[in-house]
Amino acid sequence: LNVIEVVEPVADMLRVAVRGGSRGGTVALLVAERDARVKLAVGVAGPTNMLELTGKNENDDTYQCQFLKDLTDGTATLEEVRLRLIASSPVYFADQLPDTQLHLAADDRIVPVSQGEQLQEAITAFGLDDQFEMFIYEGRDHSNIATGNQELNDRIEEFNSKL
């Protein structure tokens, strides 16, 4: 956002929305939590609790390379890796989210619906329910949640029209 603000003089920094899918969905939420210029955030099939997912999938190559390699090769302590996992998990910073939409696939084995439910619970605990919408798409999985999904696209377009 800093680069866009400098390089694109026509960019309206008062109307910033971020959207991402899969790990990019996680990054979109993290950016929104950490940069007050972001007014809307959309995550599509994005993990919200990397600490939990890594614990459940510790032997998966994706989690090994993202978080656990430094632990297994001795270049990071368990506490350092734990803090990195928390820092990569939007659920732990839910009170910092702007208006947010989360889209999940009912049959997603990579990012289960429980990831969204945890974020929703955290948002509810902070009394911010009016800032959060979650949609679950039956018959879809991680690989096809957005493919030809007009309902998802329409919801995001309507959400972004708030700006």
Side-chain angles (χ1 to χ4, degrees), residues 52-71:
E52 180 194 64
L53 278 181
T54 301
K56 288 183 176 180
N57 300 287
E58 65 187 68
N59 295 317
D60 183 287
D61 289 342
T62 300
Y63 299 98
Q64 282 289 326
C65 80
Q66 284 185 10
F67 299 106
L68 300 178
K69 183 180 179 306
D70 291 345
L71 181 62

Side-chain angles (χ1 to χ4, degrees), residues 8-49:
E8 291 295 333
V10 297
D12 185 348
M13 299 311 288
L14 299 176
R15 299 179 57 218
V16 176
V18 293
R19 172 189 175 173
S22 193
R23 185 72 169 121
T26 304
V27 171
L29 299 183
L30 291 169
V31 168
E33 289 171 338
R34 295 174 179 156
D35 194 320
R37 294 173 294 184
V38 177
K39 305 302 184 226
L40 302 175
V42 177
V44 179
T48 65
N49 188 342

Side-chain angles (χ1 to χ4, degrees), residues 112-143:
V113 169
S114 62
Q115 288 282 297
E117 292 168 343
Q118 288 177 35
L119 183 59
Q120 189 167 36
E121 287 172 15
I123 287 170
T124 297
F126 287 113
L128 302 172
D129 290 319
D130 61 329
Q131 294 178 207
F132 184 74
E133 297 176 306
M134 182 170 65
F135 300 100
I136 300 166
Y137 299 91
E138 297 296 328
R140 294 200 176 258
D141 61 30
H142 198 79
S143 67

